[in-house]
Amino acid sequence: MKINDGALVQVFNCEAFGQIKDQKLRAFLKYIQTGTAETDFTRRLEEMVKAKKQIEGMKKAYQSWSLNDHDVREEGRNEGIATGRTEGIAVGRTEGALERAREAARNLIAMHALSQEQIAQAVGLSVAAVEQLAAQG
């Protein structure tokens, strides 16, 4: 059968291998039909098929490992993002609370109603921090 791409395709009835007179062709067709390698050629062919299957198996294993590595990296990345968010929120809350304490201290300093020690105790800052805020005006 000729195909317009320049290739020549030949179709063989492998089930009829026993009727083929040419010994080499009969052995080849028998190998195709039954998987039984009886000649040097069909044994070499069988070895090549096994090698190809082994390579394909290794490719599949590599792809599986690659996908697993990707999944592990993605999981680690997501955990890192979650940890970063948690730590960022904690830092933000701490900084927010510190800023609120400083603002309260500034307001109390402006009122001149308490000593710096009392202000420090009331807002939870050190006396040195209250003194620094008072100096800033």
Side-chain angles (χ1 to χ4, degrees), residues 37-46:
E38 297 177 344
T39 65
D40 288 340
F41 173 72
T42 55
R43 282 189 284 275
R44 284 193 323 265
L45 185 59
E46 184 174 43

Side-chain angles (χ1 to χ4, degrees), residues 28-124:
F28 175 71
L29 294 176
K30 182 177 182 181
Y31 172 72
I32 297 297
Q33 181 65 28
T34 66
T36 303
E38 297 177 344
T39 65
D40 288 340
F41 173 72
T42 55
R43 282 189 284 275
R44 284 193 323 265
L45 185 59
E46 184 174 43
E47 289 302 316
M48 288 189 284
V49 169
K50 285 180 183 178
K52 178 69 174 163
K53 286 180 179 179
Q54 185 178 19
I55 289 169
E56 290 301 315
M58 288 189 294
K59 282 182 184 178
K60 286 181 182 178
Y62 173 78
Q63 289 170 344
S64 174
W65 295 333
S66 179
L67 289 173
N68 184 48
D69 287 350
H70 172 68
D71 292 345
V72 168
R73 282 191 303 273
E74 184 68 20
E75 184 179 324
R77 180 181 163 282
N78 290 338
E79 286 178 13
I81 289 170
T83 300
R85 282 187 181 137
T86 301
E87 291 175 2
I89 289 169
V91 168
R93 287 182 178 157
T94 301
E95 289 177 359
L98 182 59
E99 187 53 39
R100 285 189 299 279
R102 288 179 183 149
E103 187 61 31
R106 285 187 199 98
N107 290 338
L108 291 171
I109 291 168
M111 294 172 62
H112 301 290
L114 301 171
S115 70
Q116 291 181 351
E117 290 80 14
Q118 289 170 322
I119 293 171
Q121 186 178 8
V123 298

